Amino acid sequence: MKTKLLLLLVTVLFSFTLAGCGEDQTIIRFQNDINAFCNKVAEIDAGINSIDSQSETASAELLTYLDQLDQAFKELSEISIPKEYAYMEQLTSEASSYMTTAVEAYHEAFEGDTFNEHTAEYARENYERAYKRITVLLQLLRGEEVTGANVVIENASE
């Protein structure tokens, strides 16, 4: 997984920790849920990176971690999002959907009699789409301008 994403996750985690003073409980719960998601993704990423690619069990280990990642994304899509951040609901939902599609395709690519390169490519594309949405979500939470993502952000008051 990309180092920049992990750095972004850690930065968001710390910014939420420092920004918690005087806010209502809904926002604090949302921040805690995002922090828990970031921690879980970092933990899964560490596990994926620790897999010995030469091991006979590497594929099975990878699929187990990907299943955990899919579950983390599903949980993210189910968190309660304060109305101040309502525009993020679609991002979390799409990220979860793309990750589920990616994990299902990875299972199909690795669990057949032979490795299916085309299905693995489809899985990788969906995996990247899921992470792109998480990257945009984290950029929005940090107050950064989202660039290069082909994202249109509509003003909620319009």
Side-chain angles (χ1 to χ4, degrees):
M1 198 177 321
K2 300 175 187 168
T3 305
K4 291 194 307 190
L5 179 61
L6 281 177
L7 180 59
L8 186 61
L9 291 172
V10 171
T11 304
V12 168
L13 175 72
F14 287 123
S15 68
F16 271 163
T17 302
L18 297 175
C21 301
E23 295 185 28
D24 74 30
Q25 291 302 311
T26 305
I27 293 176
I28 292 171
R29 191 173 321 110
F30 173 66
Q31 291 171 341
N32 289 338
D33 289 343
I34 295 293
N35 288 341
F37 171 77
C38 292
N39 287 335
K40 185 67 177 172
V41 168
E43 179 183 310
I44 293 167
D45 181 58
I48 289 172
N49 289 325
S50 72
I51 296 173
D52 176 6
S53 63
Q54 303 302 314
S55 167
E56 289 183 18
T57 61
S59 295
E61 290 176 58
L62 175 62
L63 293 174
T64 298
Y65 282 118
L66 289 173
D67 289 339
Q68 292 173 16
L69 194 59
D70 186 29
Q71 184 59 39
F73 272 69
K74 285 178 182 174
E75 290 170 6
L76 175 69
S77 73
E78 295 171 359
I79 66 172
S80 177
I81 298 177
K83 60 183 176 178
E84 295 92 325
Y85 300 104
Y87 57 92
M88 294 182 183
E89 283 186 48
Q90 185 172 353
L91 285 171
T92 60
S93 177
E94 288 178 359
S96 176
S97 179
Y98 280 124
M99 185 56 70
T100 296
T101 300
V103 171
E104 289 170 353
Y106 275 126
H107 274 276
E108 185 178 329
F110 282 101
E111 290 177 339
D113 292 334
T114 60
F115 177 74
N116 186 324
E117 187 176 330
H118 296 292
T119 304
E121 177 62 22
Y122 174 71
R124 185 193 58 75
E125 290 171 4
N126 281 280
Y127 183 89
E128 289 177 358
R129 288 180 185 125
Y131 269 99
K132 184 61 175 179
R133 276 140 184 88
I134 296 304
T135 301
V136 169
L137 178 128
L138 295 176
Q139 288 173 323
L140 289 170
L141 287 172
R142 291 181 60 205
E144 295 176 358
E145 183 177 339
V146 179
T147 59
N150 296 326
V151 175
V152 176
I153 300 173
E154 298 176 6
N155 188 338
S157 63
E158 291 180 355

